[in-house]
Amino acid sequence: MRPPYVTSELLNDFIDRAFQEDLGDGDHSTLASIPADAEKSAYLLMKESGVIAGMDLAPLIFHKLDPNMTIEPLVKDGEEVKKGNIILRLKGKVRAILSGERLLLNCMQRMSGIATKTAYLNTLIKGTSARLLDTRKTTPNMRMLEKWAVIIGGGVNHRYGLYDMVMLKDNHVDFAGGIEKAVHSTQEYLKAKGLKLKIEVETRNLDEVKQALDAGGVDRIMLDNMSNEDMRAAVELIAKRSETEASGGITEKTIRSVAETGVDYISVGALTHSIKSLDISLKAE
């Protein structure tokens, strides 16, 4: 279930940097109190129900500290787990278990919180044609894991960064002198650079939707902070000539009615920027 942007190289680099941040010149609490040859078992315990994410990280993290550690996953990413479930067992050097515990928990708790929220919002739009999107509103240096968690929860990734899709937002449009100028300038730029990137344009009202259509070559039109009535009108006006995306302050209370306007996508920044981590703990056996 790894998307293409989750590579072994990037995961290893992330873990190395995280250990440098956390361990520094040594986990002195553990080094001082635990003999180097001590080996024990431990397990991960769910203290809250939800959708699990980040199971693949356990061997990557612990094998950097103890290459011989035995790791037994008991569930898979994307599975619903219940409070009280044991989801993973491990056996190896106690020093490695203690030094890697917090990094694994920090990652898995946040990823599982995102996956759980994504899965829940998906249930609210079930039966419509809308698909749930994330945004770039991610934690710096954690984007790979956070967007991965959205996929695990059943959502869809929007562009990964500023380089893999063009999104002409309101500020781009205003600074460029209007939608038509922004789109045509972008098309000329992409042609000159030999880039084949999709173009999305943010619109704030039906007049701007018409401008985006008239500009031509727009792959997706974002309907930002529009009323449901205006979104329905926009979907009818666009008539599948571009994909449509609803955005702006969408919550679990409003997402169903937004989906029923007929939009193709609904982007929810809260999937990653204001999520509650799922409670998981590591226990010694």
Side-chain angles (χ1 to χ4, degrees), residues 185-284:
S185 177
T186 296
Q187 291 168 337
E188 291 173 3
Y189 170 86
L190 295 177
K191 183 178 181 180
K193 294 290 185 180
L195 296 172
K196 294 183 178 180
L197 300 179
K198 288 189 174 182
I199 299 174
E200 178 169 4
V201 175
E202 178 180 326
T203 61
R204 295 163 282 194
N205 50 58
L206 292 176
D207 183 58
E208 289 191 342
V209 170
K210 294 175 184 176
Q211 292 176 42
L213 288 171
D214 290 342
V218 174
D219 298 287
R220 185 180 300 173
I221 297 176
M222 177 191 288
L223 313 175
D224 189 52
N225 284 299
M226 291 188 191
S227 67
N228 288 351
E229 182 180 1
D230 280 352
M231 280 192 282
R232 287 191 191 93
V235 168
E236 184 176 347
L237 178 64
I238 294 166
K240 298 296 182 182
R241 286 177 284 175
S242 294
E243 294 178 332
T244 53
E245 176 188 333
S247 181
I250 296 166
T251 69
E252 60 185 65
K253 293 182 179 179
T254 62
I255 194 169
R256 179 73 190 188
S257 62
V258 171
E260 289 174 344
T261 66
V263 293
D264 298 309
Y265 296 100
I266 301 174
S267 56
V268 179
L271 283 179
T272 52
H273 74 59
S274 57
I275 205 73
K276 178 185 177 296
S277 294
L278 208 62
D279 198 0
I280 310 170
S281 65
L282 185 144
K283 300 291 186 183

Side-chain angles (χ1 to χ4, degrees), residues 1-283:
M1 200 179 285
R2 289 190 192 181
Y5 54 80
V6 180
T7 67
S8 295
E9 181 181 5
L10 289 175
L11 283 173
N12 281 314
D13 178 66
F14 168 79
I15 293 168
D16 288 342
R17 286 185 287 109
F19 273 142
Q20 182 58 44
E21 175 184 64
D22 200 33
L23 298 182
D25 67 351
D27 173 6
H28 299 302
S29 304
T30 295
L31 294 172
S33 62
I34 304 298
D37 60 351
E39 293 193 5
K40 293 287 184 179
S41 299
Y43 58 90
L44 287 186
L45 176 69
M46 297 304 304
K47 300 180 74 176
E48 202 173 353
S49 299
V51 176
I52 201 67
M55 293 294 292
D56 285 359
L57 296 175
L60 297 177
I61 289 171
F62 284 115
H63 284 162
K64 282 184 178 289
L65 302 171
D66 176 6
N68 297 316
M69 185 173 293
T70 301
I71 299 170
E72 181 188 4
L74 303 177
V75 298
K76 295 179 180 179
D77 276 349
E79 287 188 20
E80 291 189 17
V81 292
K82 302 295 184 183
K83 180 180 178 181
N85 285 169
I86 294 174
I87 61 171
L88 181 143
R89 294 185 182 277
L90 59 160
K91 182 177 182 180
K93 300 289 187 183
V94 176
R95 285 184 174 182
I97 293 173
L98 293 173
S99 294
E101 169 187 1
R102 180 46 50 197
L103 175 55
L104 179 64
L105 290 178
N106 283 350
C107 293
M108 288 192 64
Q109 286 176 321
R110 182 153 185 82
M111 289 181 70
S112 297
I114 292 170
T116 299
K117 184 69 171 183
T118 302
Y120 171 63
L121 290 182
N122 265 330
T123 67
L124 300 182
I125 61 175
K126 187 176 180 180
T128 71
S129 59
R131 302 183 71 189
L132 186 62
L133 280 179
D134 59 16
T135 70
R136 284 174 47 250
K137 296 175 182 177
T138 55
T139 309
N141 297 320
M142 285 282 289
R143 180 171 296 174
M144 176 175 61
L145 299 189
E146 292 177 349
K147 280 186 169 283
W148 186 9
V150 169
I151 293 292
I152 291 170
V156 178
N157 291 151
H158 206 302
R159 57 179 180 166
Y160 190 80
L162 293 170
Y163 55 85
D164 59 342
M165 182 180 182
V166 171
M167 182 189 288
L168 300 174
K169 295 179 69 66
D170 52 357
N171 285 336
H172 294 94
V173 168
D174 292 342
F175 281 132
I179 288 176
E180 183 178 359
K181 287 184 178 180
V183 170
H184 290 170
S185 177
T186 296
Q187 291 168 337
E188 291 173 3
Y189 170 86
L190 295 177
K191 183 178 181 180
K193 294 290 185 180
L195 296 172
K196 294 183 178 180
L197 300 179
K198 288 189 174 182
I199 299 174
E200 178 169 4
V201 175
E202 178 180 326
T203 61
R204 295 163 282 194
N205 50 58
L206 292 176
D207 183 58
E208 289 191 342
V209 170
K210 294 175 184 176
Q211 292 176 42
L213 288 171
D214 290 342
V218 174
D219 298 287
R220 185 180 300 173
I221 297 176
M222 177 191 288
L223 313 175
D224 189 52
N225 284 299
M226 291 188 191
S227 67
N228 288 351
E229 182 180 1
D230 280 352
M231 280 192 282
R232 287 191 191 93
V235 168
E236 184 176 347
L237 178 64
I238 294 166
K240 298 296 182 182
R241 286 177 284 175
S242 294
E243 294 178 332
T244 53
E245 176 188 333
S247 181
I250 296 166
T251 69
E252 60 185 65
K253 293 182 179 179
T254 62
I255 194 169
R256 179 73 190 188
S257 62
V258 171
E260 289 174 344
T261 66
V263 293
D264 298 309
Y265 296 100
I266 301 174
S267 56
V268 179
L271 283 179
T272 52
H273 74 59
S274 57
I275 205 73
K276 178 185 177 296
S277 294
L278 208 62
D279 198 0
I280 310 170
S281 65
L282 185 144
K283 300 291 186 183

